[in-house]
Amino acid sequence: MRVCLIASSRFPIREPFHGGLEAHTATLAEHLGRRGHEVSVFAAPGSDPRFDVSDLAVRPFEPSAAARQDVGATPDEWMREHHAYLSLMLELSRTGPQRFDVIHNNSLHHLPIAMAGMVDLPVVSTLHTPPVPWLESALQVSRGDTRFVAVSRHTADAWQHAVTAEVVLNGIDTDRWRAGPGGDRAVWSGRMVPEKAPHLAALAALRAGIPIDLAGPCMDQAYFDREVRPLLGPGVRHLGHLGSDALIDLVGRAAVAVVSPMWDEPYGLVAAEAMACGTPVAAFDRGALGEIVVPGTGALARLGDVDSLATAIVLARAADRRVVRRHAVADLGVGRMISAYEDVYARARQVVAA
């Protein structure tokens, strides 16, 4: 099958990944290719060619000096992103049916949804976030042109007021995220931003009496300087933005992974990655994490309660790493996800053909 995979125009699909969405897109593209599908990816410039995919070239937009004088002008970055997706959808409306069998929108932009009816191809769109105004607006004009998938039951339920979405849990490569030996430190990974709250993970680990390593890009310097930097020392280390190989090694050598979202986590990729390494998870019970961290694989804590998270760290640390790993392989693996998307693509094509 010829698949057009629409990804982010902001962040390249390249390690170290900006976030879970980019990592998920890379996994999807790579493993669809392994199944024999021909995958073309629209993504930000600089995406890694090792995924054996083709970029859909879009000319960058630069507003004229006259246009910049408009007092209501939107920021250049917003306009460039809008221009990229507008150009892509117009191009797909002209040439898409000759080039592809299905379009899979894996981006967070509204235009691939709003303009899906212009393209004489089945369109599948994955919901990776809680409801946001731009996507809700696109749904109001989409005329049912798109088949929707949500990355968790929680995310599907959050969107049910606007659209019906079937659930396909994200999948991870459990061959690459291999079983690790464990160790005597905790680990936290992700973007250093307030909604991910690494400072709460650090505080909880300190109260649980276990040192912790923080790994991830600093996306909010003011937050990092205010909340995280004062905690750094022997018990709390920030190791920076690691590539996948280094991160897999770090997570596999951890006693427990701490996940501390202060927003409705749509899936919780870092929890699944940790469990693939056999590392149990202690997490705030928010968003989809209750679907990922099941009994025997870790422990859930009350939202925002550092003492509760510290208790969860102690409980999770006692989990059998073999049980944790088996759950990840059986229920969170990439093979299951790819098979599910293949089924979604086939059903979407049948509807268009009818």
Side-chain angles (χ1 to χ4, degrees), residues 33-102:
R34 290 185 185 182
R35 291 277 182 100
H37 301 286
E38 182 181 326
V39 184
S40 296
V41 176
F42 169 69
S47 293
D48 195 330
R50 77 177 179 86
F51 299 119
D52 194 26
V53 297
S54 302
D55 288 342
L56 296 175
V58 176
R59 296 187 308 274
F61 172 76
E62 292 292 343
S64 67
R68 291 179 188 274
Q69 300 306 310
D70 177 11
V71 295
T74 53
D76 286 358
E77 182 180 18
W78 190 97
M79 285 302 302
R80 291 189 187 106
E81 186 174 29
H82 176 85
H83 181 76
Y85 286 107
L86 178 62
S87 298
L88 171 64
M89 295 309 293
L90 290 173
E91 177 62 27
L92 289 175
S93 72
R94 292 188 292 265
T95 67
Q98 291 77 51
R99 301 162 62 193
F100 304 112
D101 298 308
V102 65

Side-chain angles (χ1 to χ4, degrees), residues 6-340:
I6 303 176
S8 171
S9 69
R10 291 189 180 185
F11 307 110
I13 310 303
R14 175 182 291 276
E15 293 192 27
F17 296 115
H18 171 79
L21 178 58
E22 287 71 36
H24 166 75
T25 301
T27 299
L28 187 63
E30 181 175 357
H31 286 269
L32 282 171
R34 290 185 185 182
R35 291 277 182 100
H37 301 286
E38 182 181 326
V39 184
S40 296
V41 176
F42 169 69
S47 293
D48 195 330
R50 77 177 179 86
F51 299 119
D52 194 26
V53 297
S54 302
D55 288 342
L56 296 175
V58 176
R59 296 187 308 274
F61 172 76
E62 292 292 343
S64 67
R68 291 179 188 274
Q69 300 306 310
D70 177 11
V71 295
T74 53
D76 286 358
E77 182 180 18
W78 190 97
M79 285 302 302
R80 291 189 187 106
E81 186 174 29
H82 176 85
H83 181 76
Y85 286 107
L86 178 62
S87 298
L88 171 64
M89 295 309 293
L90 290 173
E91 177 62 27
L92 289 175
S93 72
R94 292 188 292 265
T95 67
Q98 291 77 51
R99 301 162 62 193
F100 304 112
D101 298 308
V102 65
I103 296 172
H104 184 175
N105 172 38
N106 208 39
S107 77
L108 305 181
H109 204 270
H110 59 285
L111 285 181
I113 295 173
M115 299 177 68
M118 296 178 57
V119 183
D120 190 20
L121 279 171
V123 179
V124 174
S125 191
T126 299
L127 298 169
H128 289 277
T129 67
V132 292
W134 279 106
L135 291 185
E136 285 193 355
S137 174
L139 288 169
Q140 292 179 7
V141 299
S142 67
R143 306 194 316 273
D145 302 307
T146 301
R147 180 180 292 268
F148 287 92
V149 172
V151 297
S152 65
R153 171 51 51 194
H154 171 83
T155 299
D157 290 345
W159 278 98
Q160 66 181 350
H161 67 284
V163 68
T164 299
E166 61 182 288
V167 176
V168 175
L169 289 177
N170 285 342
I172 49 171
D173 187 341
T174 55
D175 290 331
R176 190 167 189 217
W177 288 85
R178 60 193 178 275
D184 57 2
R185 298 181 71 90
V187 67
W188 180 100
S189 60
R191 290 177 290 116
M192 294 278 173
V193 291
E195 62 268 26
K196 298 289 188 178
H199 71 290
L200 296 183
L203 288 171
L206 291 173
R207 293 186 191 183
I210 180 172
I212 188 169
D213 291 323
L214 311 177
C218 183
M219 305 300 294
D220 185 331
Q221 191 64 49
Y223 159 74
F224 183 86
D225 291 341
R226 182 179 66 253
E227 301 289 354
V228 179
R229 191 178 300 281
L231 301 175
L232 298 181
V236 180
R237 300 187 304 195
H238 179 220
L239 304 183
H241 194 186
L242 303 180
S244 291
D245 289 342
L247 186 60
I248 291 167
D249 181 66
L250 177 69
V251 173
R253 289 187 290 103
V256 59
V258 187
V259 185
S260 51
M262 292 301 290
W263 74 311
D264 286 336
E265 194 69 60
Y267 176 72
L269 192 65
V270 294
E273 291 170 344
M275 286 188 279
C277 296
T279 302
V281 175
F284 285 142
D285 188 4
R286 184 159 187 179
L289 282 165
E291 300 172 50
I292 308 302
V293 185
V294 300
T297 66
L300 298 172
R302 292 185 299 274
L303 175 63
D305 188 328
V306 172
D307 288 331
S308 180
L309 186 57
T311 299
I313 290 172
V314 174
L315 293 173
R317 192 177 182 182
D320 186 328
R321 297 182 68 91
R322 294 168 298 181
V323 171
V324 177
R325 165 77 179 172
R326 281 200 297 267
H327 166 65
V329 172
D331 297 322
L332 306 176
V334 68
R336 169 204 48 79
M337 178 185 73
I338 296 299
S339 294

